[in-house]
Amino acid sequence: EFFDAGFMTAIVYPTPEAPQIVLINSGPVCSYAYLPAACPATSFSPATPPNETVGNPPTGTTVQVTSTNGGCSVTYDVVKPTCDACYIPTTITGSACEGLPADFASFEASLNTGGVAGLGAVNWYYDASYTNMVNEAAPLNIEIGGCAPTTVTLYAMGTCLSGAMQPAGQITLTYYPAPEAPTVVALDFFCNYGYAAPACPGTTFLTELSPEDPGDGGQTVSVDVLANGCVYTFDVVKPVCQVCELEADFTLIYEAGTGASAFFNYGTIDITSEFSTPLSYQWDIDGYVTYGVPEPGTINVLYTDESVFYVTITDATGCRTVVTNLETSIDDLSIINAVITPDNGSSTGAVNITVAGGDAPFTYAWQGPNGFAATTEDISGLIVGWYIVSITSADGQSAFGWFWVPKQTRGRGKTDESASIMAYPNPVMDNTNIAFSVAETTDATVTLHSISGQQVGQLYKGIVNGGETITLPFNASGLPAGIYFARLTTANGEMQNYKLVVGQ
């Protein structure tokens, strides 16, 4: 007999599904994950499949995974995909300052990719569809030029452990065009140098250029150039610094010993070519010389007969000229050197002069303190004071000089006139002797200069003992005929010039 005994509700769960494991990252260490379960309530244990290393095992491995749905759990043996290794997908950047390298493979090796390249070879392509492959043994097939950098993106196809080829990231490279070699230009006639404007903005010249002397230049200098963060080095030739000459005349208005002046020569220097103001004047004076500039381009000069001056006149653009009072004719009678010996208080002073030009014999008329008079070329036994000489040559020329004999100082007896230099014979056709002495031991230099003031030779440099006379044989046959002067300079600040006449 059956009777109603109520009812029962049963919940039936489906058998939990088997999990599927997939490879989510390949490389030296492979990572895995589960594909989403068909039933949302399904869970897997362990929650994450364990990692594997490359080639371990080479063909995959089986792991036990428990699948739970509701109150039911089932353990499955699941095969994990092989831990293969392709080129780790990444985006890297690089740059090259020297333009395209000779081959891409060597440049690629220098890049820091921030990852590991995997086990297989990598092929690079110019396009994301992997149809235009890069020839890694040659430069990249891109154009570099102009001022802007060139950027190129290459795409990698990596070889996996299994031999399969998979996309493996990309690389972005920036190549900078090398700047043009700089051009060095002379900025002015002062021989300062600079650079012509670069073709590309942002280019900086790092090397400072030194000035040159007029007429110099032409040498090669190394110049560093900064462009786009890259430093380039060029060998550049500096142009020769052109000399811009002013034209000037020196006119002697009157001579010493004439009715116009008993003691001084007077002349004017006039610039006869065009010039730009302001003018600068650099004087080199030996003896008594005074001057004035009444207006730009004109100089009035007052000087004694034995004095020598050179003045370098430079205008605002660097054009220049050198003017001197040294005679350009070997026939002009003049006093070319004078050596003064001071008086020690016992009438020991002396004046020794050297005369050149004119025809011998010469007549001398000296006047001095206390009615002193003499008719010889050199005078001695002198007291302190001024001594004046008038010289006349056989051909009727005259020269005039005046000399101060100082009192000898106490101690070592040093005076400004204590250094002396002379040459004999003078004028000279071929060989002569240049003799010089100093009052006290010092370093001394003897140089030879042309009438324009340019040094044409150094005859002596070294220590000279006080009171010692050094004689230097000198052959002048290699010099063009004209006026030169030998200059004695000492470390004590003394300087003596001696005019040397070189004939044909």
Side-chain angles (χ1 to χ4, degrees):
E1 181 180 359
F2 293 93
F3 59 90
D4 185 4
F7 65 92
M8 178 179 65
T9 301
I11 300 176
V12 179
Y13 292 97
T15 302
E17 61 189 279
Q20 298 183 54
I21 298 176
V22 294
L23 179 68
I24 62 172
N25 182 45
S26 63
V29 177
C30 295
S31 301
Y32 297 88
Y34 299 108
L35 288 178
C39 296
T42 302
S43 62
F44 303 117
S45 179
T48 301
N51 295 337
E52 297 289 349
T53 56
V54 172
N56 182 28
T59 57
T61 184
T62 300
V63 295
Q64 289 187 335
V65 179
T66 299
S67 177
T68 300
N69 187 354
C72 301
S73 295
V74 177
T75 298
Y76 295 93
D77 289 333
V78 182
V79 177
K80 294 166 63 175
T82 300
C83 181
D84 204 349
C86 303
Y87 192 91
I88 297 176
T90 183
T91 298
I92 58 178
T93 59
S95 64
C97 285
E98 300 300 331
L100 292 175
D103 63 271
F104 176 73
S106 61
F107 180 65
E108 178 192 5
S110 69
L111 296 173
N112 181 9
T113 63
V116 179
L119 299 182
V122 177
N123 294 330
W124 293 95
Y125 294 82
Y126 289 104
D127 59 318
S129 58
Y130 304 102
T131 58
N132 187 8
M133 182 182 295
V134 173
N135 179 2
E136 297 191 28
L140 291 177
N141 186 24
I142 59 176
E143 294 291 334
I144 297 178
C147 297
T150 299
T151 299
V152 59
T153 299
L154 303 179
Y155 302 87
M157 182 71 74
T159 304
C160 302
L161 187 66
S162 61
M165 300 289 292
Q166 295 293 333
Q170 63 190 47
I171 181 173
T172 301
L173 301 174
T174 301
Y175 292 99
Y176 297 100
E180 297 179 358
T183 300
V184 176
V185 296
L187 301 178
D188 49 40
F189 292 115
F190 292 103
C191 302
N192 295 309
Y193 286 87
Y195 297 99
C200 295
T203 301
T204 302
F205 303 113
L206 303 179
T207 303
E208 183 177 351
L209 299 173
S210 60
E212 301 289 346
D213 292 328
D216 290 345
Q219 66 267 39
T220 300
V221 294
S222 181
V223 175
D224 291 332
V225 180
L226 175 64
N228 297 310
C230 305
V231 176
Y232 305 81
T233 300
F234 296 91
D235 288 334
V236 183
V237 177
K238 294 173 69 174
V240 174
C241 177
Q242 299 298 321
V243 179
C244 176
E245 295 284 356
L246 295 174
E247 295 180 4
D249 291 332
F250 175 60
T251 303
L252 185 62
I253 306 300
Y254 55 76
E255 296 184 77
T258 64
S261 174
F263 303 106
F264 297 100
N265 300 290
Y266 172 73
T268 63
I269 300 171
D270 295 293
I271 300 178
T272 58
S273 60
E274 294 184 357
F275 59 88
S276 300
T277 57
L279 296 170
S280 64
Y281 308 92
Q282 182 177 355
W283 291 85
D284 184 1
I285 294 173
D286 180 28
Y288 181 84
V289 179
T290 184
Y291 53 89
V293 183
E295 62 181 5
T298 300
I299 309 172
N300 297 329
V301 188
L302 197 69
Y303 59 98
T304 55
D305 214 27
E306 78 282 0
S307 300
V308 176
F309 70 80
Y310 289 85
V311 56
T312 302
I313 308 172
T314 307
D315 77 352
T317 66
C319 297
R320 68 193 66 188
T321 187
V322 179
V323 181
T324 179
N325 69 318
L326 281 179
E327 303 289 350
T328 58
S329 170
I330 63 173
D331 296 325
D332 293 336
L333 177 66
S334 61
I335 302 171
I336 62 174
N337 193 56
V339 177
I340 311 296
T341 302
D343 174 25
N344 65 4
S346 301
S347 299
T348 58
V351 179
N352 297 322
I353 63 174
T354 303
V355 177
D359 294 336
F362 305 113
T363 60
Y364 302 90
W366 285 94
Q367 298 178 19
N370 302 331
F372 174 87
T375 58
T376 56
E377 180 177 9
D378 301 324
I379 54 177
S380 59
L382 309 179
I383 64 173
V384 174
W386 287 106
Y387 292 83
I388 303 168
V389 62
S390 176
I391 309 170
T392 304
S393 63
D395 58 350
Q397 297 188 59
S398 62
F400 192 82
W402 58 300
F403 308 93
W404 172 257
V405 174
K407 180 179 180 181
Q408 180 174 301
T409 59
R410 294 183 179 181
R412 293 172 293 175
K414 176 184 174 182
T415 67
D416 291 340
E417 298 86 8
S418 57
S420 66
I421 184 170
M422 66 172 299
Y424 57 91
N426 187 27
V428 57
M429 302 300 293
D430 45 26
N431 294 308
T432 188
N433 297 286
I434 296 177
F436 68 95
S437 63
V438 296
E440 56 182 7
T441 301
T442 183
D443 286 316
T445 303
V446 176
T447 52
L448 187 66
H449 298 258
S450 67
I451 193 170
S452 66
Q454 181 180 6
Q455 181 175 318
V456 297
Q458 178 173 286
L459 309 183
Y460 183 87
K461 183 177 180 63
I463 296 177
V464 182
N465 296 322
E468 175 188 7
T469 298
I470 295 181
T471 301
L472 306 172
F474 178 68
N475 188 314
S477 60
L479 295 174
I483 302 296
Y484 297 83
F485 70 93
R487 171 172 293 173
L488 169 62
T489 306
T490 73
N492 297 332
E494 299 174 276
M495 184 176 67
Q496 291 287 339
N497 289 314
Y498 182 88
K499 185 163 72 173
L500 183 65
V501 181
V502 176
Q504 294 287 353

